[in-house]
Amino acid sequence: MGRPSFKIDANLLRDLRERHGLTQYQVAEKIGTHVVTYQNIESSGKTSRKTAEKLSELFEISVEQLQQGID
């Protein structure tokens, strides 16, 4: 049955990565995952709550902002 999916804003995630001047590989390394896993997160917007928390810490925004996007 797999882990429950946690939805985040994939467009925001890509934008944050680019604003920070990071590659997908660098983000994957910083959050402790494989680059293919990170690429799937960035394209689908689906991840685990734990990974969403790591991403929010990396980009210094809240998990809620990651879910809803920033206006």
Side-chain angles (χ1 to χ4, degrees):
M1 185 165 152
R3 286 184 268 167
S5 183
F6 190 83
K7 187 75 173 150
I8 60 175
D9 185 326
N11 292 326
L12 173 61
L13 184 58
R14 185 174 15 265
D15 186 52
L16 287 167
R17 177 180 57 77
E18 291 172 353
R19 281 192 220 171
H20 283 81
L22 298 170
T23 64
Q24 290 178 330
Y25 179 83
Q26 290 169 318
V27 173
E29 191 174 62
K30 289 178 183 293
I31 65 169
T33 193
H34 294 91
V35 68
V36 173
T37 302
Y38 177 74
Q39 289 170 334
N40 288 335
I41 295 167
E42 194 173 275
S43 66
S44 71
K46 294 179 183 175
T47 189
S48 67
R49 172 79 188 194
K50 183 177 179 179
T51 300
E53 289 169 355
K54 289 179 183 180
L55 288 165
S56 72
E57 287 177 29
L58 175 64
F59 294 121
E60 299 178 339
I61 65 171
S62 70
V63 172
E64 291 75 21
Q65 287 173 306
L66 264 180
Q67 286 182 291
Q68 299 169 358
I70 300 173
D71 295 319

